[in-house]
Amino acid sequence: MVNSNARIAGIVLAFWGVTDLWNQTECHGSEPSVPTRRVLVIGIDGVRPDALQNANTPAIDHLIAAGAFTKNTKILGNRYRENETISGPGWSSFLTGVWADKHGVHDNTFRGRNYDAYPHFFVYLKRKFPNACTGSFVDWEPIDTYIVRAADVRKVRPASSKDSLEQKDKMLAGEAVQFLTQQNPHAVFVYFGQVDEVGHRDGFHPSVPSYLQAIQTVDVHIASLIGAIQSRPDHVQENWLIIISTDHGGRGRKHRGGHDVPEIVTTFLVVSGKDSMKGEIEEPSYIVDVPVIALTHLGVPIEGAWQLDGKAVGVRQEFRNNQ
Ligand SMILES: [Zn+2]
């Protein structure tokens, strides 16, 4: 298993021809101030759960079979739901664990952002474990520009690039595979943008072949990320948790103004690893749960002063002792 996965990761690296990528700070994670467990958070922009169900996604299916899953996650909470149902507020909630009245992002201008008070979850990880190694790989530039600035290693495919999001996703996946295999990461965020792009072009719907194909293409990238983790010599002891979710669904060719549209506000959540629950997640789940799940797995106690809105759904009860 390990050997074959190592071979796959090697093939993936050779395929992408990735060289000399680490022009930003490298990680130098060392004991004792690092977590004993690790997390990979994957965000796929604009995925409807009914389309995920129709697409052929063996990698995601494998994670669901080995972990916890729901197709009833909400991108807006009951307490606050004034922000637009678009990417800026969505990824802000996804990465900070609070609703928009706190993180301050109501649209894609990012005006009003308050990440100093409600930061990306890597910041909380580094406060507890200063030598933890973190990496962010995104091809929607505002996430890199505004939200994940605390990451040790940041890779972004700029909006000015002429490459399609399909091409950018492929390059980012290769860079993330290299990071996962060659460095010593504890928390990694990888964002894929092509599904949303196809949804806006051809329609967000489980009957749209190109929309399903985009999900399937991302699933191949996820397979390479899983292979990269499994090729790490100590991956069993490292105890990785993989979380996958999205920022919104869609109806027709849009998702703006979707506050009362189930196909837009209802998404999915995968929480998969040795310490995840198994099977359907029964309790209500929200996009703000993602960073709380990650921090809980990483052994970072959630402090009340942070005012996080999420909770650690999908994580086995015995690991939720700080809630
Ligand atoms: Zn989006």
Side-chain angles (χ1 to χ4, degrees), residues 45-46 85-88 91 140 191 196 200 246-248 255:
D45 205 305
T85 52
I86 56 178
S87 296
W91 294 112
W140 192 53
Y191 164 96
D196 185 69
H200 284 294
T246 181
D247 58 336
H248 50 73
H255 47 76

